[in-house]
Amino acid sequence: MGRTNGPTKYVLRLIVVAYLFFLVAWPVYLVGQNAFKDGFEDLQAILTDPDIVHALHLSVEIAIISVIINTIFGVGISMLLVRYRFPGKRLLNALLDVPLSVSPIVVGLALVLVYGGRTGWFGPTLESAGLQIIFAEPGMVMATVFVALPLVIREVVPVLEEIGDEQEQAARSLGANAVQTFRRITLPSIKWGITYGVVLSLARSLGEFGAVKVVSGNVLGATRTATLVVEEKYLNFDKGGAYATAFLLALVAVAAIIVVSVLRPKEEDR
């Protein structure tokens, strides 16, 4: 099939550009514009508020922990799906997309039912042992890990399928063990897939709201994250603070994507 030429190509480009502009670029620009509507006053206010600083720190901490967990799990499950055959493989592959289709609110409620301190299946036992899950950071990490679960996997799996396993078999035939083969052959080949997955997972983790709100309890100075600060500020008619906090979250996500795009080898674009 030949490439689309003539006016159709330019019409399609115009549609795509307009779609991205009105759906992504313009709204993000307006957030930044409103964040600096009064200069740096709103931004300075949130950065000098101890509760908001704690919320930002907590959001970053939860995001980093979640990304590490999802990266380790994502690479492992990607290797399992691509390199091995086993009963239930298709079912497992389908289940990995559940976090993308289930509402985060449902995820939060499910975690409360399982790990709630009063009526949860495991909550009372865990709390009696001194480990609180719900209304504490562990539950917030679990909720964030769940919603961002497939992102690393869906970036790494296509790369593994594309490179094949010929080089890995050659390395094993020359006496390399599994760890050596992964470190010297597989990992360098999938590093950019992992990088893209990490960036997407980081952005998703920083922006998670629904599931975290249910399991956190939204306690000021304890379990309130940056996304919950945005809601609280907006509902209390402090739109400047809401926009400033939202701008910081968007800035981190956009900056991560830009850095990856700049560092990506040119041959990756071909």
Side-chain angles (χ1 to χ4, degrees), residues 38-56:
D38 298 321
F40 290 92
E41 181 179 339
D42 293 323
L43 192 61
Q44 184 178 3
I46 65 172
L47 292 178
T48 55
D49 187 327
D51 292 328
I52 298 181
V53 171
H54 177 272
L56 292 169

Side-chain angles (χ1 to χ4, degrees), residues 32-39 42:
Q33 183 185 48
N34 283 276
F36 293 99
K37 186 177 181 179
D38 298 321
D42 293 323

